[in-house]
Amino acid sequence: MLPTVPLPRRPLHPSDTVRQWYENELGWATVPGSPLRLAAGLRFDVLDVPAEAGVRALRHLGPVSPVALHASRSAPCEDPAARHEKWPARHGKRMWLLVAAGSAEELPGLLDWLEWGALALDLTAIGAGGSIEAPLPPGVPEGPLTTDGAGTDGPGGSGPQGAAVWLRPPEPGCEVEPSLPTLSAVGGGGGAPDLVRLVDTVATQCHRVRLRRACAQPPAYS
């Protein structure tokens, strides 16, 4: 009787490798489907802001606080302050700032308390029940990583995997929570970044971005 030769293992698809990195190396929850998405509201919430505003707020984050950039259909950010971070132009329009879980629920009240609540700001929070596209782990080449080998660009699509990248990636083996801005850090206790200072800075910069964009618009003639 001839010995049975096992069939060769199918190599992991790049999207499987990325999912395993998040789930096994970081312990972060992912959302089933493609492109790969990270579940918010469990280990972290997310502030989604213009990169022009976010780069001014980086000083209020810890050195290992994760920050990501994601693409936009608009032109890339041209803020001079962004040059110090050296990110690719195609990823320069929007920024995701990871904050402590539960911060999304606190944001409306916090903006009111800081007297920003009455203004329209290009600032949103993603919390429990929400998700973000998974930025590529460090060292993974950019490109479509959907399970069928194709991207999702098109009307209403979110683009191929790789439309988001880490500016400051999370560190495998390190708990992310101590590095995230939180309300409990008000007054400097615990060593975590202060969410109030971060939101106040981001709101101020979002308002300035809005004013600059309004001034750049050509006058309307009747």
Side-chain angles (χ1 to χ4, degrees):
M1 181 176 178
L2 294 176
T4 302
V5 179
L7 295 174
R9 287 186 178 182
R10 180 179 62 87
L12 285 176
H13 189 276
S15 62
D16 297 329
T17 303
V18 174
R19 188 181 298 274
Q20 288 188 0
W21 187 79
Y22 279 106
E23 293 181 351
N24 299 337
E25 298 293 330
L26 298 179
W28 291 9
T30 62
V31 178
S34 180
L36 179 64
R37 300 186 68 82
L38 304 176
L42 300 175
R43 303 287 301 274
F44 56 84
D45 286 355
V46 181
L47 298 183
D48 186 347
V49 302
E52 296 172 68
V55 70
R56 303 283 183 170
L58 294 180
R59 69 181 185 275
H60 294 305
L61 300 175
V64 295
S65 296
V67 177
L69 295 158
H70 61 104
S72 169
R73 297 183 185 277
S74 304
C77 165
E78 296 180 356
D79 192 305
R83 296 173 188 166
H84 299 291
E85 293 293 338
K86 307 289 185 186
W87 61 68
R90 63 171 288 216
H91 300 297
K93 196 58 182 178
R94 303 288 302 179
M95 184 176 286
W96 285 327
L97 307 174
L98 270 61
V99 294
S103 299
E105 297 180 3
E106 303 286 353
L107 183 63
L110 184 53
L111 288 173
D112 286 340
W113 184 71
L114 292 169
E115 300 184 350
W116 286 110
L119 296 178
L121 300 173
D122 189 7
L123 164 62
T124 58
I126 304 168
S131 64
I132 61 170
E133 180 191 330
L136 290 175
V140 175
E142 298 176 20
L145 290 182
T146 54
T147 54
D148 59 1
T152 57
D153 271 331
S158 58
Q161 200 86 47
V165 295
W166 286 113
L167 176 62
R168 295 181 181 177
E171 297 183 4
C174 297
E175 292 292 326
V176 69
E177 287 83 355
S179 70
L180 300 181
T182 175
L183 275 179
S184 64
V186 175
D194 186 343
L195 180 66
V196 175
R197 291 184 178 181
L198 174 66
V199 170
D200 191 34
T201 299
V202 167
T204 300
Q205 297 302 323
C206 283
H207 183 55
R208 291 177 178 173
V209 169
R210 179 171 174 266
L211 292 177
R212 284 200 299 270
R213 290 175 179 173
C215 293
Q217 293 294 326
Y221 296 97
S222 57

